[in-house]
Amino acid sequence: MASPISIYHSNPLDTHLSSTSRESLKMELLADVSLLPGEDRIIDKDIIYICPFNGAVKGKVLITNYRLYFKSYEADVILDVPLGVISRVEKMGGASSRGENAYGLDITCKDMRNLRFALKQEGHSRRDIFDFLFRHAFPLSHGLPLFAYVTQEKYEENGWNVYNPLEEFRRQALPNNKWRLTFINNTYELCDTYPTVLAVPVKSSEDDLRRVAAFRSRGRIPVLSWIHRENQAVIVRCSQPLVGMSGKRNKDDERYLDLIREANDTTKLTIFDARPSVNAVANKATGGGYEGDEYQTAELIFLDIQNIHVMRESLKKLKDIVYPNVEESHWLSSLESTHWLEHIKLVLSGAIQVADKVSSGNSVVVHCSDGWDRTAQLTSLAMLMLDSHYRTLRGFQVLVEKEWISFGHKFASRIGHGDKNHADQDRSPVFLQFIDCVWQMTKQFPTAFEFNERLLLTILDHLYSCRFGTFLYNCESARDSNELRLKTVSLWSLVNSKMDMYLNPFYTPESGRVLYPVASMRHLELWVTYYIRWNPRIRQQVGPQQSPVEQRYKELLALRDEYLKKLEELQRPDSSPSSRLAHSPSSNTSSSSSSTPLQQYTHLHTPL
Amino acid sequence: MLTGSKTTFKVRQMLPDIKERMLSQSGVNSRSRDVFGLRCLPGECVLQRAVMVRKKLTAREGRGWLSGTLFCTHFRVAFVPQDGPKPDDNADPVLLGDHDVALASIEKVVVVGPNRTKLVTSNSSLKFTPEELVLYCRDLRVVCFLFDRLTPDTQVLEITYTIAKTYQPPKPGSVLSFQNAALGSVEMKQFLSNRRRDTHMNWHESSSDWEQELERCGATGWRVSSVNDRFEMSTSLPRYIVVPQKVLDTELKKSFAHFNEGRIPRWCWRHPRGCDLLRMASFQNNIYHEKDDIRNLETILFGCQASLCVVVELGEELPSPADVQLAHSRLRALCLGDISTSVSVPDDKWLSTLEGTHWLDYTRSCLKKASEVACLLRGGHLTVALQEPDDRDLSCVVSSLVQVMCDPHCRTQHGFQSLVQKEWVMAGHRFNSRLNYHRDNDKEEAPVFLLFLDCVWQLLSQYPARFQLTDDFLLALHDSVHLPLFSSFLANCQRERCKRSQSLGQSYTPVNGWRDMLHPDFSPDPSDPPLPPVWDWALQYSKRRRDRFTQPVAPVPPLQPLLNGNLNTNPDTHRLTDTLPGSVFLFSRGAFSCPANLVPWRSSGGSGVYRKSHRRAASSESVPGLERLLKAWALSEFPQGLTSTVGTQGPLDTYEPLLPLLMGPCMGFWRECYLRGALHAQAFSHPISANHPHPVERLAREVQQLKDKLAQASQTDPHLGAKTAEPRWSDTNLNQNTNNGTFLFPAQRPHGTAAPRAAPPPTSTNRQTSRGPPPASAPPSRPSYKDNGGGNKHTFLFGHSSATEARPEKRCYPTPSNAKLPKSNGPSIAS
């Protein structure tokens, strides 16, 4: 909207502070910051925040071992950024730089924004703040513990108990006469990136498993992830076979896959290779590859999903067109040229194909190269489509714990928790992409999910924040050796002790229904409230404010209760009219304050 | 007409078919209008039918298939589902059933064979038996029928040929025969002439209609003039126009010549803060201006403000009708794909191709212009005059959008209908030419009205809770535009409409004079079908579908504030009034200017002609004041209603315009309308369908039922007469407390006639009741409250617990168990 009149300020509704209260604010500007237990103030100082929307804003910054907090003197601009979100801190300008606000810090964040601060040039005023930031934003690079190991937070519920593999297998009615549970990986000997309990065909022996592991990249053998209650078709996940240039074969692997097919007695086993076929071929050069014709009872389908590097670049392009300013003149074609939605579409349509095969009774094997990125996306999304349990608030936590965390999605490498190496080629927004796909599904099926958008945003915020142990480390073996579950708090502790914040009021449980979203560019949308949420012009529908529909729903509920009560009273002759008068006022006082308890939770979403 | 099939099929096979057709003919002649389950209109004959056909359902209809019988009549392609409800013989005729397609809205007929697709025209012959019949409609629907293996091949071919022959290929003259097929029978004419007009809306036809509108808006200082009663002053203006009270008709008459087509500045609407919205055509500069004329002109233009007038030029930044037409045809092509080859734009090029249509750009520019005007009006103390060269296209869009943004009444179904009647139908939007029903004037074709509907949809999708009308209503209006049946759309202005109602057949030959001008609805020639207005929805849509035009428990426009003088609270504008007396500014490209040639008389009349302009020449110095008004717009692009921090600022002004976010990512695409035809996108079943309405809708219906029950109960309980007012009390309270009334759904319609209730107590009492301490009688209420709370889990969540029992954590959100959808409490209430 390149209009000559589009001058805007910060939220005009916040400018009602009287001048006297401003004065007092200046005195104790940072006194009201509520710190987490275990969070320590490190430094605070005067600084100028160069807001891309409001221009330079003077204020005070506070840095703790967990966050960077900025509050302006005047316009009520607040930034509350967990240090874990920072991917890069750079000095901007030198001591001799000319121009206003040319000397300061430039901070790149992992959550689609950049922050710039300007300081006075005299006396190396930024040296200490830079050093502190650098140390605490990248603790692992400085031999410090991640904040999750420092925090003393306590919650009613222990989120680490959300997922218990055996319980989840039991829910799926496993083991059964076709599938058994094995503890062969109890000490992470078979595969150091797999969980300890695995479900494998009954007919396979432990020795078989060892031989298969030798033929699968990083020992990630095909194991059961999900079984269809009625038709017994399964989703099996693994890594690529080590075929190599010479086209090696492995009878045990072939037989093993045939056992999987046999388990639900279909003629063909479908293997979904998430990669584009060229990439699969190219992997042969490094010893990998794909299942060839020797797997006679299997059909192989490539799903054309690009690798982590392509996804990283795509997100980078997306950031370029939405932050700080939204590309206006050719928004749609710019969006198209990022290919972000195109990738979302491919992931979703891959998952749809998996879900469709399984619900029609065919077992599937899903893999990519190592089976921890695209494979996790496909299996978890397919399970979300197939199994309504995963569409509940707790079920979704189980899904994330199971398909992503326990099966070794390399969160540490993909996110780079506490690591200063911002250019690491291992970083990639694979999990973000998964959450985006989930969001697309919630948009298309607004009543099918028990959780709301706020949960997805909270998950993404704490994916980076390092406040909880949930997304730390690459695999279970690393978590065990670092005593993660003993020493840190789970994100689900936070979520489950405030459950009502994350519930979708429109949820209508329909167990057994398979959801097939439309994976077409015509129906996918950019997740504006995530990717463009720092832009003050994007209406904040998360946080204390609800979507208009949600608001309407609540008002209708209130009305309904009111009418119900009145009807009841009308039918009860002894009630006196005055007794009803007392209700209305009381009901209103509380409804007006209904949004207040939520506000304490908004600091991560606060717009600039 | 069966020549095509004779070559491929044996006569023996055709025999039963002919018998059937004869049967159907005899069915028509009999009194029963029910032929093979199809309820025919009076005079409608079934030309062909095919049994065991399945209709593909769209996402909105729940997806999947429906089996039944397919019919083709002179008027429509009808589909009767097998297990559908029995038609009620006594009900009024409905032109189109839920699954029917009018022949006139069919654009192309395509059949799909075993391995081919073929476009069928009236003289094609098929060499294969179609498996699928696809009707591409002008309204962007794509209706798809699948022939079962059990459908007799002859029937398949026959019905395909029949449809291909009888649907109306775009050619002059076909419209009339279509109208006759639909409405031409004696019975139908009789039926139509007995239809009552919807009295809930303002038709803006008579002088009292306009007076009612003036009163509704609280616009004093204006009067209804009948100077154009015989369309002598301006052929395209309506009979009655609203002008300043102080201008006499004799003075007014001299003004017409100074404007294109005689379209002088006329009043459209008054903002509650006292600003008037006017619209006019461009000035005729080649006419000599006498002093008196100029004074009259200024009086008209300044309306009642006499201080400041901003002329908003609509030509430059908005698309021309030709642009709109091009964009729309691109959009159609994009959404329907290439029909004959079934090739559509590849998915990975969808976004850029959509951008390339410019349709969204045009929507955005209209909304932007309307937002600017809305902000000017909000400032107070000025008159805004929309100016377009002929004042018949984009000024309709902008003036009505401004009102939709600012006037909650226009966001109700009836208010919106009145608005379209006022700013489009009566104002002389050239519907007939722009929609090009007769396919005789391609140059003029431009779906400006459809662009407007898209703009309204954008507002609706950004502020769903501020509208009483729904997107189903917008969709119905969108589709009706493509049916050449309605008087609203079949003329270019009121004059033509009057003429047409007299002699429809000759509408394209000039008629010298016309008869009986005072009774435009009276049709002297009984052979012409009287055309109904589009607003007679019962003709087109079943009750079930009409019910979806409005939200079940509607957000009610707050009662109009009583205007006692100007309600101006904006301090800025006082300065405006002081500094800018009698000035005219041009607003264009987001900036104000005062060009010398803006108003013709300013340059030609010389100095000192008119006191006001003489007193102080308008200069750009005064512009900042105006720009401040627009700056306010830029600020208000922030969420106004959604932010909870507004608490300290008191109740939000319900007349704050709904200003849409216009950034690229915020512009929506009306998929429910434009992508209805994209069958490939509907391959899978969707849990939300007509049978499974959204929980909000279900709850709303439940609340509506409760309300009715409550009204009933209190009626039967005489000693509780006072109680009937209570729902309103609580509504008002909600109003004050929930986000300052921004997303407010008080349950009662102000002019609701159905629910009898006592007059609401005065507002001041409400406030006391809601804010003051609980009355002394509060204690007895406690136990009863607790009982309710136990019986109904939802009660405590939404603020029925008193402040003394504050349980902050549980107040705002449903706990898990409570978040589940309420099961119907119907039975328990009844007991």
Side-chain angles (χ1 to χ4, degrees), chain A residues 293-351:
Chain A
D293 294 336
E294 63 274 16
Y295 293 82
Q296 287 165 3
T297 53
E299 56 170 345
L300 182 69
I301 296 171
F302 292 104
L303 292 177
D304 282 327
I305 300 170
Q306 297 293 335
N307 63 25
I308 57 168
H309 310 293
V310 176
M311 302 307 181
R312 184 178 56 237
E313 294 314 309
S314 173
L315 185 67
K316 209 171 271 171
K317 283 185 198 155
L318 181 63
K319 184 175 176 179
D320 287 343
I321 65 163
V322 299
Y323 191 92
N325 295 310
V326 175
E327 162 66 42
E328 270 300 325
S329 51
H330 296 286
W331 164 250
L332 289 176
S333 46
S334 309
L335 179 60
E336 183 178 284
S337 68
T338 68
H339 297 293
W340 182 254
L341 285 179
E342 189 76 26
H343 295 314
I344 297 283
K345 172 190 149 175
L346 282 169
V347 172
L348 267 178
S349 67

Side-chain angles (χ1 to χ4, degrees), chain B residues 771-801:
Chain B
R771 293 193 178 151
S777 52
S781 76
R782 275 290 174 77
S784 77
Y785 154 68
K786 280 189 174 150
D787 287 348
N788 287 328
N792 185 336
K793 284 182 181 170
H794 296 276
T795 314
F796 71 94
L797 294 171
F798 295 96
H800 288 264
S801 66

Side-chain angles (χ1 to χ4, degrees), chain B residues 78-298:
Chain B
F79 178 80
V80 178
Q82 229 158 34
D83 314 313
K86 272 268 154 219
D88 175 9
D89 269 346
N90 297 321
D92 285 338
V94 173
L95 292 175
L96 295 167
D98 291 357
H99 299 286
D100 299 356
V101 180
L103 290 178
S105 52
I106 296 175
E107 181 160 3
K108 280 185 176 120
V109 179
V110 171
V111 288
V112 182
N115 42 24
R116 53 189 298 198
T117 301
K118 189 171 159 56
L119 188 73
V120 191
T121 59
S122 55
N123 42 17
S124 24
S125 81
L126 291 175
K127 303 246 164 31
F128 62 95
T129 309
E131 292 172 347
E132 221 174 292
L133 172 70
V134 189
L135 305 178
Y136 288 86
C137 304
R138 293 183 207 287
D139 53 22
L140 288 168
R141 270 183 305 164
V142 176
V143 187
C144 183
F145 297 103
L146 188 86
F147 298 114
D148 207 88
R149 265 168 302 172
L150 293 170
T151 321
D153 283 357
T154 37
Q155 289 188 0
V156 172
L157 283 163
E158 289 296 321
I159 200 153
T160 308
Y161 287 130
T162 312
I163 293 170
K165 282 198 169 66
T166 34
Y167 91 91
Q168 313 290 320
K171 63 169 188 277
S174 61
V175 167
L176 183 63
S177 62
F178 173 74
Q179 286 164 353
N180 272 316
L183 313 168
S185 71
V186 179
E187 244 179 303
M188 206 58 195
K189 283 179 186 169
Q190 187 66 38
F191 171 69
L192 286 176
S193 59
N194 288 335
R195 296 293 285 179
R196 292 245 166 257
R197 285 198 153 182
D198 191 342
T199 51
H200 295 292
M201 61 178 279
N202 190 334
W203 293 76
H204 292 284
E205 273 186 357
S206 68
S207 133
S208 62
D209 287 347
W210 281 100
E211 269 152 19
Q212 193 189 325
E213 178 71 357
L214 281 171
E215 197 183 332
R216 187 186 74 83
C217 298
T220 48
W222 298 89
R223 69 180 181 90
V224 182
S225 165
S226 55
V227 68
N228 197 37
D229 187 34
R230 298 184 64 82
F231 305 113
E232 280 162 344
M233 298 294 126
S234 165
T235 51
S236 65
L237 282 183
R239 281 214 177 93
Y240 304 105
I241 53 178
V242 176
V243 294
Q245 226 155 29
K246 49 193 162 190
V247 186
L248 299 175
D249 275 0
T250 45
E251 295 167 338
L252 205 56
K253 277 185 184 163
K254 295 183 190 152
S255 310
F256 286 92
H258 297 292
F259 291 89
N260 211 352
E261 287 188 44
R263 296 177 70 89
I264 58 166
R266 287 120 43 227
W267 177 89
C268 299
W269 180 71
R270 169 171 286 193
H271 190 280
R273 285 195 178 145
C275 292
D276 292 299
L277 180 67
L278 271 55
R279 49 188 283 193
M280 62 183 176
S282 55
F283 302 107
Q284 291 282 35
N285 280 328
N286 49 355
I287 288 184
Y288 175 71
H289 301 278
E290 284 180 40
K291 282 182 188 174
D292 279 356
D293 291 2
I294 289 162
R295 203 190 62 221
N296 293 337
L297 275 175
E298 292 208 349

Side-chain angles (χ1 to χ4, degrees), chain A residues 328 333 336 345 521-522 537 539 545 552-553 555 562 565-566 568 578 580 587-588 590 593-594, chain B residues 347 352 355 364 637 642 671 686 723 726 730 733 743 745 777 781 788 799 811-813 821:
Chain A
E328 270 300 325
S333 46
E336 183 178 284
K345 172 190 149 175
M521 291 302 281
R522 288 153 165 85
R537 288 197 164 206
R539 189 168 293 143
Q545 313 89 355
R552 171 159 164 75
Y553 188 78
E555 274 155 11
E562 183 131 4
K565 202 188 298 173
K566 277 177 190 135
E568 205 172 295
S578 55
R580 284 185 321 279
S587 73
N588 291 306
S590 52
S593 57
S594 65
Chain B
D347 219 29
S352 50
E355 180 181 288
R364 193 201 316 205
E637 258 213 79
L642 287 162
R671 293 193 180 86
H686 194 292
K723 287 185 178 180
E726 277 192 25
S730 58
N733 295 335
F743 286 100
F745 297 89
S777 52
S781 76
N788 287 328
R811 244 192 244 150
C812 54
Y813 271 86
L821 261 187

